[in-house]
């Protein structure tokens, strides 16, 4: 046993690779992790019993009944109808997300103007008008015998109906524009049934108040339509991205230097094309109507296409791409003397992946695990949000009732003193809840659901990193490659990580989950307290968010290297993190030279794969390849499938290149350990490849037998 370079650690002279005889580490954290998972499963089962996701799919009337649900009296009434749409301009709409008027389920929307008073006079001669009108009442009446005031007091029928069309399963006025004038059913002025004359602008303001709460759902439906039209093109794009990534990783073994310049020039070319396209669009919009407006002028719009009709939008894109182009070129110039080191390390990583090819399949397993976690979290969140029984609250049109927001019973509300004390107040369905212990703690369950989700996501990533590190460490510490590489190194490393180090991986992922949870809390508080904040509080909040972002990045880097040490030595998380940190500090110059330069090369590869697929997707979805390939037409938002392909291609490339990055990180850690353990003599030869050692270290090297 001996020490090297003042290192206080004592090395095992018989060390020949990842430790085989191990014991379980961080058992306490393992137990806590298992208990949390059991609690998470129980929470999902309880939410599944109490929740009903149909409450998200169907609109709900004032009584809390679903519109259009099979097996109910409203089965053939799938559209929600508002008695008095004008009351929706009340400030309480944005507070309670409910319009303070009676809402019922109907089979179709009204198609003409008609008031309750108008149906009373011609009833004896023509009963058709009342028959048509009565279908928009709570229940059918034989004849319109009540007075208008009595009808409004009893809240049995609307005072008037207007020509409407169904939108998001709700009846909204049928607006149109005639010579620049807004009309409803070809009318600009009409009676509201209460003796007042209204105009179409007032009606649109009332409808917009509801639309603000429904815009997200509207966009969601359009996105669904676009995905339904382009899903197979998206899959084709992701498949091509996977093949490109796989081919690049194979070619890196033989042509690392050539591919490096392919990556660099390809990225420069893709960004250059983006600059040219932005300039072309910017120039084409010259002189067009409203193209001179700024993003500030049009404000926030749900129709994203409006932004692409502004010259300023393309100018901003062009400036951003120009800055990115300059940064890439300058980075290549300043790193030109270290490209040789990066290429050598890439070749060694390629050799390792060639000897352990199963590592390229592991990202698929990680994707499956992450998909399961995301699906379980989303389903649990939906069931929690729809748990409980209908809760009704008092909502007043003027918003000045002292009883507002109190719970009520719609069956007896009209007979209570509250309805007399607050004229016009309504007992409206608000949400689903209850008074049981379970319902009282639903917000806490949502927080628990999110926290365990973050913990599981980080654990899955940690498991993948530890598994890959164990496989590549087995490659590095094999003196005669590939003869000394143990059989099935990936499966062996996966089994060791699960059997012995679940607690350590859970410990590291727990720290990261806590930091991410605090960041989410800060973002939530920032959105909730945005208005009353002063400049000082905003400054401190920005500083906190910046600090937590930096802390998260630092913890991710430290965890990554700690998992490598766990895979090699089998120690607990804290000791492995300490050893990894000390090792990196002792070799800080090599970290800058080897690790980060190689990361830059891999980033270029990701950008090239993503950019290539992105350009093809853009040309396809904007129908610019009609002669070669006819893509989908009549899309609501062409950028929806385009961004999906771009983001998906990046994730696919990231999955493949992350294997490469983990390989290089592991080889780097092993290389630093190798230099401290051995001296290059016959008794203590280096395990690193001779060519790479000659570039990274100037000490005498004893060659090792290795297949080229």
């Amino acid at each position: 046993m001996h020490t090297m370079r003042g290192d206080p650690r004592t090395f095992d002279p018989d060390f020949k690779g990842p430790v085989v005889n191990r014991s379980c580490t961080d058992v306490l954290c393992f137990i806590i992790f298992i208990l949390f998972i059991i609690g998470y499963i129980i929470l999902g089962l309880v939410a599944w019993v109490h929740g009903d996701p149909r409450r998200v799919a169907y609109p709900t009337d004032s009584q809390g009944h679903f519109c259009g649900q099979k097996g109910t009296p409203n089965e053939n009434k799938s559209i929600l109808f508002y008695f008095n749409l004008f009351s929706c301009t009340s400030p309480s709409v944005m507070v309670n997300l409910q319009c303070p008027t009676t809402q019922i389920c109907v089979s179709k929307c009204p198609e003409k103007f008609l008031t309750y008073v108008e149906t009373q006079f011609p009833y004896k001669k023509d009963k058709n008008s009342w028959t048509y009108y009565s279908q928009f009442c709570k229940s059918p009446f034989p004849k319109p015998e009540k007075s208008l005031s009595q009808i409004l007091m009893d809240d049995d029928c609307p005072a008037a109906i207007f020509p409407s069309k169904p939108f998001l399963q709700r009846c909204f006025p049928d607006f149109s524009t005639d010579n620049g004038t807004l009309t409803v059913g070809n009318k600009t002025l009409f009676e509201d049934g209460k003796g007042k004359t209204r105009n179409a602008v007032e009606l649109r303001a009332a409808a917009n108040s509801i639309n603000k709460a429904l815009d997200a759902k509207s966009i969601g439906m359009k996105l669904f339509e676009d995905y339904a039209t382009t899903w197979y093109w998206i899959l084709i794009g992701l498949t091509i991205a996977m093949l490109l990534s796989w081919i690049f990783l194979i070619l890196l073994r033989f042509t690392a230097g050539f591919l490096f310049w392919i990556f660099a020039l390809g990225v420069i070319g893709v960004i250059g094309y983006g600059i040219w396209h932005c300039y072309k669009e910017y120039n084409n919009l010259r002189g067009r109507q409203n193209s001179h407006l700024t993003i500030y002028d049009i404000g926030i719009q749900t129709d994203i296409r409006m932004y692409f009709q502004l010259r300023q939008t393309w100018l901003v894109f062009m400036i951003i791409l120009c800055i990115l182009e300059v940064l890439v070129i300058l980075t290549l110039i300043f790193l030109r003397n270290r490209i040789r080191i990066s290429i050598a390390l890439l070749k060694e990583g390629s050799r390792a992946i060639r000897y352990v090819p199963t590592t390229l399949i592991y990202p698929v397993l990680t994707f499956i695990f992450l998909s399961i976690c995301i699906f379980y979290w989303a389903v649990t969140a939906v069931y929690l949000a729809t748990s409980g029984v209908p809760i009704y609250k008092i909502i007043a049109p003027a918003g000045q009732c002292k009883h507002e927001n109190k719970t009520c019973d719609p069956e007896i509300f009209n007979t209570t003193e509250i309805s007399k004390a607050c004229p016009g107040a309504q007992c409206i369905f608000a949400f689903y809840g209850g008074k049981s212990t379970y319902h009282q703690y639903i917000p806490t369950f949502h927080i628990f659901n999110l926290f365990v989700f973050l913990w599981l996501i980080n654990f899955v990533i940690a498991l993948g990193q530890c598994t890959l590190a164990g496989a590549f460490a087995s490659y590095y510490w094999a003196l005669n490659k590939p003869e000394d590489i143990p059989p099935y190194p990936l499966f062996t490393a996966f089994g060791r990580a699960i059997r012995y180090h679940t607690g350590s991986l859970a410990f590291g992922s727990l720290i990261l989950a806590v930091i991410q949870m605090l960041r989410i809390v800060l973002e939530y508080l920032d959105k909730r307290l945005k208005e009353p904040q002063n400049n000082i509080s905003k400054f401190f909040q920005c500083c906190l968010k910046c600090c937590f972002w930096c802390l998260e990045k630092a913890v991710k880097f430290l965890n990554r290297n700690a998992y490598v040490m766990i895979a090699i030595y089998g120690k607990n998380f804290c000791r492995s993190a300490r050893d990894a940190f000390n090792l990196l500090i002792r070799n800080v110059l090599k970290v800058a030279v080897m690790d980060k330069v190689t990361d830059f090369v891999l980033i270029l590869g990701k950008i090239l794969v993503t950019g290539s697929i992105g350009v093809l997707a853009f040309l396809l979805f904007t129908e610019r390849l009609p002669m070669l390939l006819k893509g989908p037409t009549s899309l609501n938002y062409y950028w929806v499938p385009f961004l999906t392909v771009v983001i998906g291609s990046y994730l696919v490339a990231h999955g493949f290149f992350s294997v490469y990055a983990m390989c290089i990180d592991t080889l780097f850690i092993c290389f630093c350990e190798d230099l401290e353990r051995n001296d290059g003599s016959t008794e203590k030869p280096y395990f690193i490849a001779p060519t790479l050692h000659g570039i990274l270290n100037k000490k005498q090297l004893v060659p090792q037998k290795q297949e080229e």
Side-chain angles (χ1 to χ4, degrees):
M1 296 185 180
H2 62 285
T3 58
M4 301 287 296
R5 303 181 187 180
D7 181 14
R9 294 180 300 160
T10 300
F11 295 115
D12 179 7
D14 298 324
F15 180 81
K16 299 297 181 184
V19 176
V20 177
N21 297 322
R22 304 179 179 226
S23 58
C24 296
T25 55
D26 295 304
V27 178
L28 178 60
C29 194
F30 168 76
I31 295 174
I32 296 174
F33 184 58
I34 295 299
L35 291 176
F36 266 77
I37 291 178
I38 294 174
Y40 198 33
I41 294 173
I42 294 174
L43 175 62
L45 293 175
V46 173
W48 180 74
V49 171
H50 289 84
D52 187 354
R54 293 175 301 178
R55 295 167 180 170
V56 178
Y58 297 101
T60 311
D61 65 10
S62 298
Q63 305 298 314
H65 302 142
F66 299 131
C67 297
Q69 183 184 352
K70 293 183 178 180
T72 67
N74 291 330
E75 181 175 355
N76 297 321
K77 300 178 179 180
S78 59
I79 307 173
L80 191 67
F81 173 74
Y82 298 87
F83 269 25
N84 182 14
L85 205 60
F86 289 106
S87 64
C88 298
T89 56
S90 168
S92 63
V93 174
M94 298 309 298
V95 176
N96 302 292
L97 297 178
Q98 276 286 9
C99 182
T101 186
T102 301
Q103 303 159 33
I104 63 171
C105 301
V106 296
S107 57
K108 63 178 182 179
C109 296
E111 300 172 347
K112 55 185 177 181
F113 288 100
L114 201 60
T115 66
Y116 177 77
V117 176
E118 289 173 349
T119 62
Q120 289 181 311
F121 297 110
Y123 174 73
K124 294 181 180 181
K125 296 181 180 180
D126 181 14
K127 299 182 179 180
N128 291 331
S129 60
W130 172 247
T131 303
Y132 180 82
Y133 193 91
S134 63
Q135 64 182 325
F136 303 105
C137 298
K138 284 184 177 179
S139 56
F141 297 95
K143 54 184 178 179
E145 57 185 5
K146 293 185 179 181
S147 64
L148 175 62
S149 59
Q150 188 65 35
I151 279 288
L152 296 179
M153 183 178 298
D154 296 340
D155 203 27
D156 290 327
C157 295
I161 58 176
F162 316 107
S164 305
K165 286 186 177 180
F167 175 70
L168 298 179
Q169 293 181 278
R170 290 162 173 82
C171 290
F172 284 102
D174 183 13
F175 293 111
S176 60
T177 304
D178 184 13
N179 295 327
T181 303
L182 186 68
T183 63
V184 178
N186 297 324
K187 287 186 178 183
T188 56
L189 299 175
F190 47 86
E191 298 292 329
D192 67 352
K194 299 180 180 180
K196 292 184 179 180
T197 301
R198 302 279 192 165
N199 59 54
V201 176
E202 292 180 90
L203 193 58
R204 184 177 63 177
N208 286 341
S209 299
I210 304 176
N211 278 336
K212 289 179 181 178
L214 300 176
D215 274 345
K217 188 172 181 180
S218 172
I219 295 176
M221 291 183 67
K222 291 181 179 179
L223 296 183
F224 179 79
E225 292 175 359
D226 289 341
Y227 281 127
T229 305
T230 61
W231 64 270
Y232 51 93
W233 292 106
I234 294 174
L235 290 180
I236 292 174
L238 297 182
T239 303
I240 296 175
M242 181 182 67
L243 293 176
L244 277 178
S245 302
W246 184 68
I247 291 172
F248 283 151
L249 289 181
I250 293 176
L251 292 178
L252 277 174
R253 166 69 178 88
F254 306 100
T255 57
F258 175 73
L259 280 181
F260 171 82
W261 291 111
I262 289 293
F263 287 168
L265 296 177
V267 169
I268 292 174
V270 169
I271 298 176
Y273 171 80
I275 295 173
W276 174 81
H277 178 75
C278 291
Y279 173 77
K280 183 180 177 182
E281 293 291 339
Y282 174 80
N283 194 49
N284 290 340
L285 289 174
R286 188 191 305 272
R288 290 192 184 180
Q289 185 179 7
N290 298 329
S291 64
H292 65 283
L293 298 176
T294 64
I295 298 175
Y296 177 80
D297 292 331
I298 67 173
I300 299 176
Q301 300 289 333
T302 57
D303 188 358
I304 307 297
R305 289 174 294 186
M306 294 187 63
Y307 295 107
F308 293 103
Q309 298 173 7
L310 304 178
R311 298 187 72 203
Q312 186 190 56
T313 302
W314 294 105
L315 179 62
V316 170
F317 286 163
M318 186 170 61
I319 293 174
I320 293 174
L321 290 177
C322 287
I323 294 174
L324 185 60
E325 184 88 321
V326 171
L327 289 177
V328 171
I329 294 174
L330 290 178
T331 304
L332 288 173
I333 293 174
F334 284 111
L335 293 178
R336 65 187 186 278
N337 294 326
R338 298 182 179 180
I339 291 177
R340 192 166 64 97
I341 298 175
S342 177
I343 293 174
L345 196 58
L346 287 170
K347 287 183 177 180
E348 185 66 16
S350 300
R351 186 180 295 112
I353 291 177
R354 186 181 67 169
Y355 290 144
V356 194
T358 51
T359 53
L360 290 178
I361 305 175
Y362 194 84
V364 178
L365 185 62
T366 300
F367 174 77
I368 294 173
F369 287 156
L370 291 178
S371 299
I372 293 173
C373 293
I374 294 172
F375 177 78
Y376 189 86
W377 165 77
V379 170
T380 303
V382 170
Y383 274 92
L384 282 174
T386 57
S387 295
V389 296
I391 300 296
Y392 306 90
K393 287 196 172 184
I394 300 172
I395 301 177
Q400 298 177 349
C401 177
K402 65 178 182 180
H403 301 287
E404 190 167 16
N405 286 327
K406 291 183 178 180
T407 57
C408 57
D409 185 350
E411 299 294 335
I412 61 172
F413 178 74
N414 289 335
T415 62
T416 61
E417 295 295 328
I418 298 178
S419 63
K420 299 177 182 178
C422 301
Q426 299 280 336
C427 183
I428 300 290
F429 164 77
F431 54 85
Y432 292 95
K435 298 182 179 180
S436 66
T437 304
Y438 167 76
H439 295 107
Q440 291 175 355
Y441 283 94
I442 281 182
T444 305
F445 293 149
H446 276 295
I447 296 175
F448 179 79
N449 182 32
L450 178 61
F451 176 74
V452 181
F453 165 71
L454 294 175
W455 195 356
L456 287 174
I457 289 291
N458 288 298
F459 176 81
V460 170
I461 296 173
L463 177 61
Q465 292 175 343
C466 188
T467 299
L468 292 172
F472 292 125
S474 298
Y475 158 82
Y476 184 93
W477 295 107
L479 185 60
N480 300 314
K481 302 176 177 66
E483 291 82 6
D484 292 345
I485 299 177
Y488 311 112
L490 181 69
F491 300 105
T492 303
F494 181 80
R496 281 199 301 258
I498 288 291
R499 181 178 179 182
Y500 298 109
H501 307 304
T502 298
S504 297
L505 301 179
F507 191 5
S509 54
L510 172 63
I511 297 173
L512 201 53
V514 170
I515 295 173
Q516 291 170 342
M517 195 70 186
L518 291 175
R519 287 190 64 193
I520 292 174
V521 171
L522 282 176
E523 291 291 341
Y524 175 77
L525 292 177
D526 183 42
K527 292 184 182 298
R528 291 298 300 268
L529 305 176
K530 204 161 190 177
E531 295 300 328
Q533 279 184 336
N534 54 40
N535 292 331
I536 297 178
S537 63
K538 287 181 180 179
F539 172 76
F540 281 113
Q541 196 158 28
C542 288
C543 290
L544 275 176
K545 289 194 287 187
C546 181
C547 290
F548 274 105
W549 181 85
C550 295
L551 180 61
E552 181 181 350
K553 296 297 180 183
V555 170
K556 281 184 177 180
F557 176 77
L558 186 60
N559 282 8
R560 186 184 181 93
N561 292 283
Y563 299 146
V564 176
M565 301 299 282
I566 290 173
I568 298 174
Y569 297 108
K571 299 176 183 177
N572 61 39
F573 176 80
C574 291
R575 188 170 178 181
S576 298
R578 183 197 64 187
D579 292 344
F581 179 77
N582 292 334
L583 182 66
L584 294 175
I585 290 297
R586 292 195 299 271
N587 298 274
V588 65
L589 293 179
K590 291 187 177 67
V591 172
V593 174
M594 293 174 57
D595 197 41
K596 298 310 167 190
V597 174
T598 309
D599 280 349
F600 174 71
V601 177
L602 297 181
I603 289 173
L604 288 180
K606 296 176 189 177
I607 294 176
L608 180 57
V609 172
T610 306
S612 302
I613 302 299
V615 169
L616 291 176
F618 176 78
L619 296 176
L620 178 68
F621 294 131
T622 55
E623 302 180 59
R624 311 218 173 172
L625 294 174
M627 302 299 295
L628 300 177
L629 188 63
K630 187 176 182 181
T633 58
S634 66
L635 295 176
N636 294 303
Y637 309 114
Y638 77 84
W639 52 266
V640 171
F642 167 71
L643 289 181
T644 303
V645 170
V646 169
I647 296 173
S649 299
Y650 178 81
L651 293 177
V652 169
H654 177 74
F656 277 88
F657 282 90
S658 65
V659 174
Y660 217 99
M662 198 67 211
C663 174
I664 292 173
D665 285 350
T666 304
L667 296 180
F668 174 71
I669 292 287
C670 292
F671 168 70
C672 295
E673 285 283 298
D674 194 8
L675 291 182
E676 294 188 352
R677 285 179 172 279
N678 305 303
D679 54 13
S681 63
T682 305
E683 294 78 14
K684 298 176 182 177
Y686 290 123
F687 286 78
I688 193 173
T691 53
L692 186 59
H693 184 278
I695 295 175
L696 297 173
N697 205 53
K698 301 301 181 183
K699 298 181 71 173
Q700 184 65 32
L701 176 67
V702 175
Q704 51 175 292
K705 297 179 182 179
Q706 186 171 193
E707 180 186 337
E708 291 296 334

